[in-house]
Amino acid sequence: MRRRIIGATALVATAALVAGCAGPSGSSGGEGSSGEPVELRFLLWATNPDQLALFDELGEEFVAENDDVSKVTFESVTLSDLNTLLPTWLASNSPPDASWLPVESSIEYMNADALVDLNPTLKDVEGYDYDDLADRMQEPWRDGDAQFGVPFSNGPLIMYYNKDLFDQSGLEDPSAAVEAGTWDWDLLREDLQKISADSGKTGLIFDAFEFKNWVRMLPLIRAYGGTPWDENGEECLMDSSEMEAAYSALHEMVYDEKITPRPGQQADFWGGGAATTIAYLGSNGLLADVDFEYGVVPTPAGPGGAGQHVGQSAMVAYSAGKHTDAAARLVAYLTNPESMRKLSAYYPPSRTSLLNAETMEESAPVLDAAQLEPILTAVLENGTFTPVAPNNAETTAALNAALDQFVYGEDADIPAALQQVCAAIQPTLGG
Amino acid sequence: MAILAQNRAVGTGTGGDKTPPVPAVRRFFRANAFGYALIAPQLIGFAIFGLVTTVQSIWLSLNSINALSGVTTFVGLENYVNLITGDRFPLVFTNTVFFVAAFSLLNIAVAMGIALLLNNRLRGVNIFRAAVFIPALVTMVAWALVSRFILQPEGLLDFLVSFTGAEETPWLRSRWLTLTVIIFVQLTKNVGINVLLCLAGLQAVDRELLEAAETDGAGWWARFRHVTIPQVSPTLFMVFLLTVVASFKVFEVILILTNGGPGYETNVLSFMIYDEAFRRHDFGEASALAVILLLMIIVVSSVLWAIRKKLVYAEND
Amino acid sequence: MTKRRTTPRVRIGRGVNYLTLIVISCVFLGPILWMVLGSVKSDAEILSYPPTLFPSEFKWSNYAQVFELQPFARQFFNSVFVMALVCALTVIVSACAGYAFARVKPLGSSILFLVLLSATFIPPEATIVPLFQLVTSLGWIDTYYPLVIITVFLHSAPIATFILRQAYLGLPKELGESARLDGASDLRIFLTIYTPLVRPSLAAVVVLAGWHSWSQYLEPLIYLRDTEMFTVPLALTQFYDPFAGPMWGIQMAATTLSVLPVLILFLFAQRHVISGLTAGAVKS
């Protein structure tokens, strides 16, 4: 009897294993033979009801124009949940049909053949105006002729400042310094120390950095001319002298000058608790509710020049999805000139025809063109995207952990610590 | 009794005497059908969702898996070798052992202590019972979020401690202290359940026996040690075993309070599984960790189960 | 514990008892109070130092925002619904199995029991990928089947079976034997003789199962997609703006809202929960 039970269990287990393992190699692509209209799932990380409503509207328009699609569902999760869910879903061979994807993940997903080549669809759709897509912004998503994603949002990390606090300490308005060409990290740090001493408030908040999201440190890193790895993502450059200078500056700001929060400390700029914050352009809507005078400027320059960091997200379709053709057409629809113009109310676009201060003003209702002009100039002249590693997930996890362990502590010896960081992430890089 | 007797009869019967096979089988089913029918739902459910998926996890642990492309390559024990020879595992393993041991012992002591206090007939004792139990109603995610506000630099705790003139303490940035803090947060959230279970056990203690002991001049400690403890020991053992098993699975509180950091200094196995699978997309190594964790839990629980007769008074099994 | 004059010693003891309980209650209720007060503060005030106890300005809009950003009432109901199903199914499955392991003991039951006990050892993170594949192939994504059925069979029922086995073991064998002499069937002995006597343990099982289901996070995250279907713990982490970061005040308002109904229910039912846990536990 016992043997029979064990035998039966083993049989069930084997059957399930076979079924489970057969999964990923099974059906992928194709519209299926039947003419039944299909439903598409699109995953994104917007929470703003207006933005979601716009997507729903565009989805309905798409359904009206495409007989083979009966419904498009936009599912919203947080970005960190998205990073958790996508691999699980892909590993279980049940991804959404399309989604937003941050540029950091581009190479990793492309190398894994997880994304659909959109090029044929984009070129095929009437009125798409493929050549209007700004080449420089498409670069991370292109491989030869193939195009695996269409960037729809190119948000620069900019500096928001509390003008009242600058005034109270009798300091020059940062935008004046930008005009005078003296706007750099040294000046900012001097100003912030004075403001902290005068008001007791935090000087600078790197938004969403929290000592675990190294990407948010890029404005500082770029200003010092640093880069975490070489262009091919093969060799760790975290221990370069530029990085040493950048992280030493951070260390001084945190522990010596005490102008930016310590690890674990939370602070809030929008409620008036800090003099400046570095956040995405998309955060500007929050200015509508603040009760202080504010301004925006490009992030400060440094010894490495004026580094303007730009974050990017694209829309992609998944090759393991069941309706790859319809999904590709959906992405094409959402990024056509008309849709992207509508989306540019929230997301800085990637079409040459839309890249001007007027469109950006539309996407930043709280700010005027005069405030945005210097930022746009900075983006166009010095803009650099997030560095992409071939095994992004693993490299990012290792980098964040190593920085936390070796570099962010109060008694860290920065040069030695950065060498330890390189030792930790080098094995995850492509070389 | 009748069933038990039949059982034994069948038990010896199948041992191989002259009984013809068919009646024996029929008799066997008649004797056991009811029992199997009762167990069946639980066992079948567990087989499908527990055993099969565990076997699959073991299989996954022997593979190198590219989650994004779905490509799976058999690599044997490579995942295990990589893990154990890596520099993260020893740290995380030690943390896990410390966390489980300290959390479980502290939890049972605190639960029993509070249950004893609450077992007195005091006016308004219900309010205190509610107070201890309320955190258990909050989800762990919420409890950890609130705790983070209290524990962060320049948080409420720093503020309170500053009155004693003490320096600011990096509650969430130093290994052993932070692990202890995490234990405390997890414990205050969950101990209410254990208090209730202990309380139920205490209220079942024979009052006549206690009063008899008091009449005989036994002091508080003697009564506690020789009357109360033996009678609640089955409850205590059960609560302890459940707590040990649960403490291996601690997750949300670490995610929210420290993210396992600085580096890996407050990381434990269950969190490292999450880290490997969902942050690094390495399902192979994550599965290997899961198997290691499973083995640890099985070993610890088996040891406890094996010595339960020494710990538990009146286990009449 | 009959009426007895309170001696000074008893009175001091009682005072110490109260004092200890008050201190302990502060530790347990402090964070809750902090959360409730935080739910009507602005984000800036929540983060201010030195911290303020009472909000300088009550920001009730946090509560309105909870319902604007998420279908929170529906999500709350979802959690309650799932929890109720988990409790009911757990009780049925584990009472049957617990009784069988304790009293019926069919051949091989001790081995089967150990196999089952091992279910409590499997950490949920360990089997999430195979489980997800299974759930997908069953077409259970975005339904409550996995949250009820998998939770019961993998997590709550094995523990409950363990608890109930102990409970049934604690009852005298003679009860069933005498009923059998009166001609009662196996099923009747199980349902009407033994089961009413393990009520306290059943109450404990319900509390444990409900509590486990109530605070589940990873599983709903993986299995549910539609915000209308979300459960409370999942909803609580969604108060996050990609551009503004965590919405602390709103999050605390949502947490407060998620706790209050359960708290009120508990305060009303507390007597029943505690007495349920203890009633009849006194051995005859």
Side-chain angles (χ1 to χ4, degrees):
Chain A
M1 191 64 204
R2 246 177 73 196
R3 264 180 62 190
R4 201 178 302 165
I5 291 175
I6 293 169
T9 315
L11 196 69
V12 175
T14 318
L17 259 178
V18 171
C21 295
S25 57
S27 67
S28 71
E31 225 42 19
S33 50
S34 73
E36 282 286 298
V38 298
E39 293 188 5
L40 296 179
R41 288 177 53 223
F42 192 107
L43 198 66
L44 37 69
W45 59 83
T47 49
N48 183 318
D50 298 337
Q51 296 171 17
L52 287 171
L54 175 56
F55 271 97
D56 281 337
E57 189 191 309
L58 292 173
E60 276 163 32
E61 288 170 20
F62 176 74
V63 170
E65 285 181 22
N66 291 268
D67 296 338
D68 59 336
V69 179
S70 61
K71 194 181 173 193
V72 181
T73 317
F74 292 94
E75 293 166 10
S76 177
V77 296
T78 63
L79 178 56
S80 69
D81 284 352
L82 178 115
N83 284 329
T84 303
L85 291 170
L86 273 180
T88 316
W89 288 351
L90 284 165
S92 314
N93 200 33
S94 56
D97 296 290
S99 83
W100 291 2
L101 198 65
V103 70
E104 293 92 300
S105 303
S106 55
I107 296 183
E108 186 173 27
Y109 279 67
M110 282 154 66
N111 282 352
D113 290 328
L115 306 178
V116 176
D117 176 12
L118 302 165
N119 182 309
T121 316
L122 299 183
K123 290 207 160 140
D124 198 37
V125 172
E126 212 171 300
Y128 188 80
D129 198 0
Y130 185 83
D131 296 330
D132 185 33
L133 296 176
D135 281 338
R136 217 166 90 63
M137 297 180 169
Q138 315 298 319
E139 225 167 80
W141 303 94
R142 283 185 179 160
D143 182 12
D145 277 342
Q147 172 144 7
F148 295 97
V150 184
F152 70 99
S153 176
N154 303 273
L157 274 175
I158 61 173
M159 178 165 279
Y160 297 82
Y161 63 92
N162 183 327
K163 201 167 176 315
D164 292 350
L165 290 176
F166 277 84
D167 288 349
Q168 279 162 30
S169 291
L171 295 164
E172 183 191 32
D173 190 292
S175 61
V178 173
E179 257 172 59
T182 55
W183 182 234
D184 66 7
W185 280 95
D186 290 337
L187 174 65
L188 174 71
R189 281 163 64 181
E190 265 174 46
D191 284 1
L192 295 181
Q193 286 177 71
K194 180 139 177 35
I195 291 176
S196 283
D198 291 350
S199 66
K201 303 221 177 188
T202 307
L204 165 66
I205 298 167
F206 291 91
D207 181 56
F209 167 53
E210 294 184 346
F211 293 88
K212 57 184 178 190
N213 185 5
W214 75 276
V215 169
R216 296 300 186 120
M217 206 43 62
L218 278 167
L220 180 69
I221 291 173
R222 296 301 199 197
Y224 279 86
T227 185
W229 43 74
D230 66 343
E231 258 175 55
N232 304 322
E234 288 176 355
E235 199 197 337
C236 175
L237 298 175
M238 287 297 293
D239 53 0
S240 65
S241 57
E242 290 88 356
M243 282 301 204
E244 209 181 295
Y247 279 99
S248 299
L250 173 68
H251 193 271
E252 285 162 21
M253 286 192 276
V254 175
Y255 294 108
D256 302 336
E257 300 161 9
K258 299 191 196 318
I259 52 176
T260 190
R262 272 162 291 157
Q265 188 176 8
Q266 300 174 83
D268 177 51
F269 168 79
W270 314 100
T276 59
T277 185
I278 294 180
Y280 279 113
L281 175 65
S283 299
N284 73 81
L286 297 163
L287 291 173
D289 296 326
V290 303
D291 50 8
F292 51 81
E293 284 283 308
Y294 54 77
V296 292
V297 281
T299 52
Q308 180 57 59
H309 171 71
V310 181
Q312 188 189 63
S313 297
M315 297 194 201
V316 300
Y318 292 97
S319 49
K322 290 183 189 65
H323 320 293
T324 48
D325 179 51
R329 275 182 286 132
L330 175 63
V331 171
Y333 188 83
L334 294 174
T335 56
N336 71 25
E338 180 59 15
S339 302
M340 198 176 275
R341 200 193 56 73
K342 288 182 187 164
L343 289 173
S344 67
Y346 305 107
Y347 314 104
S350 62
R351 283 180 173 273
T352 317
S353 60
L354 297 170
L355 276 174
N356 48 55
E358 285 73 45
T359 324
M360 274 181 86
E361 190 182 0
E362 222 179 304
S363 72
V366 188
L367 304 170
D368 56 42
Q371 284 172 308
L372 288 165
E373 197 68 59
I375 291 169
L376 187 65
T377 314
V379 170
L380 293 177
E381 284 175 5
N382 307 308
T384 46
F385 287 120
T386 317
V388 181
N391 306 308
N392 171 63
E394 192 160 11
T395 305
T396 303
L399 181 54
N400 282 329
L403 283 169
D404 191 19
Q405 187 168 7
F406 304 123
V407 178
Y408 295 152
E410 183 160 9
D411 40 15
D413 168 17
I414 303 291
L418 286 171
Q419 281 175 8
Q420 286 173 292
V421 170
C422 263
I425 70 162
Q426 186 59 53
T428 72
L429 292 170
Chain B
M1 195 63 209
I3 297 174
L4 295 179
Q6 274 180 29
N7 250 345
R8 284 195 200 104
V10 174
T12 50
T14 46
D17 56 318
K18 298 168 227 163
T19 341
V22 179
V25 169
R26 196 177 294 164
R27 207 150 28 108
F28 170 84
F29 271 110
R30 194 171 299 157
N32 293 292
F34 181 58
Y36 288 138
L38 288 180
I39 297 172
Q42 166 77 89
L43 219 55
I44 293 171
F46 169 61
I48 296 172
F49 297 109
L51 286 181
V52 170
T53 51
T54 303
V55 170
Q56 273 177 287
S57 279
I58 295 172
W59 168 251
L60 291 179
S61 77
L62 302 174
N63 284 276
S64 162
I65 299 158
N66 184 328
L68 302 181
S69 66
V71 174
T72 302
T73 332
F74 185 81
V75 293
L77 294 174
E78 197 182 296
N79 288 324
Y80 292 90
V81 174
N82 285 348
L83 270 177
I84 291 169
T85 54
D87 48 3
R88 287 175 287 153
F89 186 76
L91 195 65
V92 174
F93 183 84
T94 325
N95 288 345
T96 309
V97 171
F98 172 76
F99 183 89
V100 169
F103 179 81
S104 310
L105 292 171
L106 205 61
N107 193 310
I108 195 82
V110 170
M112 192 62 193
I114 296 179
L116 280 172
L117 285 172
L118 290 176
N119 196 34
N120 291 327
R121 292 188 173 176
L122 293 170
R123 191 164 301 177
V125 75
N126 278 344
I127 296 171
F128 294 118
R129 279 179 189 165
V132 171
F133 191 67
I134 285 169
L137 305 173
V138 188
T139 63
M140 193 64 233
V141 170
W143 188 255
L145 285 170
V146 175
S147 303
R148 198 177 140 199
F149 277 114
I150 295 173
L151 292 165
Q152 67 167 320
E154 299 199 347
L156 184 63
L157 189 61
D158 271 347
F159 180 67
L160 295 177
V161 168
S162 70
F163 287 114
T164 67
E167 296 237 336
E168 259 182 37
T169 316
W171 301 108
L172 298 175
R173 293 290 297 180
S174 44
R175 188 177 175 193
W176 300 112
L177 172 68
T178 305
L179 278 172
T180 313
V181 166
I182 291 171
I183 286 171
F184 185 80
V185 170
Q186 176 94 356
L187 189 136
T188 45
K189 155 83 178 75
N190 284 347
V191 80
I193 293 275
N194 287 351
V195 169
L196 273 195
L197 295 172
C198 287
L199 202 56
L202 280 178
Q203 305 218 330
V205 170
D206 197 334
R207 292 199 180 278
E208 285 171 28
L209 217 54
L210 279 175
E211 277 167 30
E214 198 175 0
T215 319
D216 291 347
W220 179 87
W221 174 250
R223 271 176 287 149
F224 176 69
R225 175 72 191 81
H226 297 292
V227 181
T228 310
I229 284 286
Q231 289 207 44
V232 294
S233 58
T235 308
L236 278 183
F237 176 73
M238 182 188 76
V239 170
F240 186 67
L241 189 59
L242 295 182
T243 307
V244 169
V245 173
S247 65
F248 274 105
K249 303 179 186 172
V250 55
F251 174 68
E252 291 96 334
V253 60
I254 292 190
L255 175 73
I256 289 167
L257 283 187
T258 68
N259 208 21
Y264 287 84
E265 292 188 357
T266 59
N267 206 323
V268 295
L269 276 173
S270 53
F271 188 76
M272 193 176 167
I273 294 174
Y274 168 84
D275 196 53
E276 285 292 331
F278 299 120
R279 292 240 178 90
R280 295 174 182 244
H281 303 175
D282 192 338
F283 288 119
E285 275 197 16
S287 300
L289 276 172
V291 173
I292 293 174
L293 178 60
L294 191 57
L295 286 177
M296 274 178 79
I297 300 180
I298 289 176
V299 168
V300 172
S301 326
S302 309
V303 169
L304 286 175
W305 189 247
I307 62 169
R308 76 186 187 284
K309 289 203 169 104
K310 294 206 177 103
L311 301 173
V312 174
Y313 172 89
E315 166 83 6
N316 57 351
D317 181 21
Chain C
M1 297 283 154
T2 42
K3 287 159 220 156
R4 203 182 295 163
R5 288 269 153 76
T6 46
T7 63
R9 220 183 116 204
V10 168
R11 238 177 282 156
I12 291 171
R14 207 172 270 179
V16 171
N17 212 330
Y18 268 119
L19 201 68
T20 323
L21 282 173
I22 289 170
V23 170
I24 289 173
S25 300
C26 286
V27 173
F28 282 85
L29 291 183
I32 304 265
L33 188 70
W34 193 243
M35 174 186 83
V36 174
L37 290 169
S39 72
V40 285
K41 288 180 189 170
S42 66
D43 285 4
E45 190 170 1
I46 290 172
L47 295 170
S48 67
Y49 190 85
T52 54
L53 184 57
F54 286 101
S56 57
E57 193 182 340
F58 283 84
K59 198 169 177 233
W60 296 109
S61 63
N62 283 343
Y63 282 89
Q65 286 278 302
V66 169
F67 294 94
E68 262 167 49
L69 293 168
Q70 297 280 320
F72 197 71
R74 164 71 203 250
Q75 292 165 337
F76 186 84
F77 168 78
N78 294 341
S79 267
V80 173
F81 179 73
V82 169
M83 183 172 74
L85 286 181
V86 166
C87 289
L89 197 59
T90 303
V91 165
I92 296 170
V93 167
S94 60
C96 288
Y99 179 74
F101 285 129
R103 285 273 155 259
V104 186
K105 293 184 181 164
L107 194 66
S109 69
S110 52
I111 290 164
L112 291 179
F113 179 67
L114 283 180
V115 169
L116 195 61
L117 201 62
S118 68
T120 57
F121 306 155
I122 304 173
E125 291 86 5
T127 54
I128 200 87
V129 172
L131 264 182
F132 185 79
Q133 289 174 337
L134 186 64
V135 166
T136 311
S137 59
L138 289 170
W140 283 1
I141 292 297
D142 215 16
T143 71
Y144 295 133
Y145 291 113
L147 295 187
V148 174
I149 294 177
I150 296 180
T151 304
V152 167
F153 285 123
L154 271 194
H155 304 298
S156 62
I159 293 173
T161 304
F162 175 64
I163 293 172
L164 290 175
R165 173 181 167 273
Q166 300 286 104
Y168 283 115
L169 271 179
L171 298 172
K173 287 175 195 159
E174 293 77 18
L175 286 174
E177 284 161 17
S178 58
R180 178 167 306 282
L181 291 178
D182 294 341
S185 69
D186 288 338
L187 195 62
R188 237 185 108 181
I189 295 175
F190 164 45
L191 291 178
T192 61
I193 309 285
Y194 279 110
T195 302
L197 292 176
V198 296
R199 263 198 322 250
S201 299
L202 287 176
V205 161
V206 168
V207 171
L208 278 177
W211 173 67
H212 182 90
S213 163
W214 184 247
S215 53
Q216 259 184 334
Y217 173 69
L218 191 63
E219 290 87 347
L221 170 67
I222 305 276
Y223 298 134
L224 299 179
R225 287 176 182 173
D226 188 352
T227 40
E228 290 267 323
M229 297 289 283
F230 279 8
T231 55
V232 166
L234 195 52
L236 289 181
T237 58
Q238 301 297 314
F239 295 103
Y240 187 94
D241 185 299
F243 290 125
M247 311 169 186
W248 302 120
I250 301 171
Q251 205 163 41
M252 291 213 204
T255 312
T256 308
L257 282 173
S258 75
V259 177
L260 276 188
V262 196
L263 178 61
I264 292 166
L265 193 72
F266 175 75
L267 290 180
F268 273 110
Q270 142 156 270
R271 192 164 304 209
H272 301 284
V273 172
I274 307 259
S275 65
L277 281 168
T278 52
V282 183
K283 287 166 200 153
S284 53

